[in-house]
Amino acid sequence: MRKFAIVHTRKNALLVISFIGTVNLFFPEPDTDSMEFSGNITVEKPVDDVYSFLNDPVKLATIAPDREGEVEDADGEARFIVKAGVSFIKGKFNVKLGIGESNGTDHVEVKGTGSGKGSSMDLIIKCDLNPSDNLSEINWVADINIRGTLATVGNRLIQGAAKKYIDRTIDALREGITNSP
């Protein structure tokens, strides 16, 4: 029977020492949490106006809930800071937002990354636009991957907080598109 000592080291590595003299260092997969949300909204704007708004990362960044400071336009990406968190893990997160694939005026993909407080996040939002007279319907799907400290909090807690943040973002998006010139 082999006996082992398991020692936690820095950078989430585990040092496993066998009492017969073997030393192994393991780097476990980082904690991750993947979520998907979807929905649709209707706005009183022609589809060309909606497409133009969704295809502009700076306009999208200006409607981000809990954004702090100005939005920086850097080579087609919007960079900004948001104050966010879940439970006891709260702080400022640096966010980059850009546009992925888009075709015609019926599909836009928004890509984003964020990091702060020992956590990081990747985001892809796919929007399909359907025109109807002077109305536009936006069918959207958001894929969010969270890594690090936030991912260890627990799926239910993160999903609840993410859902609230997405609801606030969708409300701000509806208002931003409706009030845009």
Side-chain angles (χ1 to χ4, degrees), residues 76-92:
E77 280 186 337
R79 295 180 183 188
F80 56 101
I81 296 172
V82 294
K83 189 176 178 183
V86 176
S87 185
F88 60 89
I89 304 169
K90 295 180 182 174
K92 295 180 181 180

Side-chain angles (χ1 to χ4, degrees), residues 68 80-86 89-96 113-121 150:
E68 292 189 347
F80 56 101
I81 296 172
V82 294
K83 189 176 178 183
V86 176
I89 304 169
K90 295 180 182 174
K92 295 180 181 180
F93 293 81
N94 296 310
V95 179
K96 289 186 220 173
T113 61
S115 62
K117 294 299 275 182
S119 299
S120 62
M121 175 267 319
L150 275 177

Side-chain angles (χ1 to χ4, degrees), residues 50-51 54 60 101-103 105-110 124-130 137-142 170 173:
V50 174
Y51 177 82
L54 291 174
L60 292 173
E101 71 177 58
S102 54
N103 58 354
T105 56
D106 62 351
H107 179 79
V108 176
E109 184 177 271
V110 179
I124 297 175
I125 305 170
K126 296 178 182 179
C127 300
D128 291 315
L129 309 177
N130 299 309
E137 183 181 32
I138 305 169
N139 295 306
W140 58 270
V141 176
I170 293 299
L173 176 64

Side-chain angles (χ1 to χ4, degrees), residues 61-74:
T62 61
I63 64 160
D66 301 323
R67 180 180 52 84
E68 292 189 347
E70 296 298 314
V71 175
E72 177 186 334
D73 187 358

Side-chain angles (χ1 to χ4, degrees), residues 9-148:
T9 63
R10 293 189 179 269
K11 307 244 184 215
N12 291 331
L14 293 177
L15 182 63
V16 179
I17 304 170
S18 165
F19 286 106
I20 59 169
T22 307
V23 177
N24 295 312
L25 189 60
F26 296 97
F27 290 92
E29 285 294 314
D31 292 318
T32 61
D33 195 3
S34 181
M35 297 172 284
E36 183 177 291
F37 298 92
S38 62
N40 60 22
I41 61 171
T42 302
V43 293
E44 294 184 29
K45 284 284 189 172
V47 74
D48 291 339
D49 294 350
V50 174
Y51 177 82
S52 176
F53 192 94
L54 291 174
N55 211 32
D56 186 338
V58 173
K59 284 183 182 177
L60 292 173
T62 61
I63 64 160
D66 301 323
R67 180 180 52 84
E68 292 189 347
E70 296 298 314
V71 175
E72 177 186 334
D73 187 358
D75 297 324
E77 280 186 337
R79 295 180 183 188
F80 56 101
I81 296 172
V82 294
K83 189 176 178 183
V86 176
S87 185
F88 60 89
I89 304 169
K90 295 180 182 174
K92 295 180 181 180
F93 293 81
N94 296 310
V95 179
K96 289 186 220 173
L97 206 57
I99 304 301
E101 71 177 58
S102 54
N103 58 354
T105 56
D106 62 351
H107 179 79
V108 176
E109 184 177 271
V110 179
K111 293 184 174 189
T113 61
S115 62
K117 294 299 275 182
S119 299
S120 62
M121 175 267 319
D122 293 317
L123 166 72
I124 297 175
I125 305 170
K126 296 178 182 179
C127 300
D128 291 315
L129 309 177
N130 299 309
S132 173
D133 297 325
N134 247 5
L135 299 175
S136 297
E137 183 181 32
I138 305 169
N139 295 306
W140 58 270
V141 176
D143 290 314
I144 305 168
N145 289 305
I146 299 173
R147 292 177 304 285

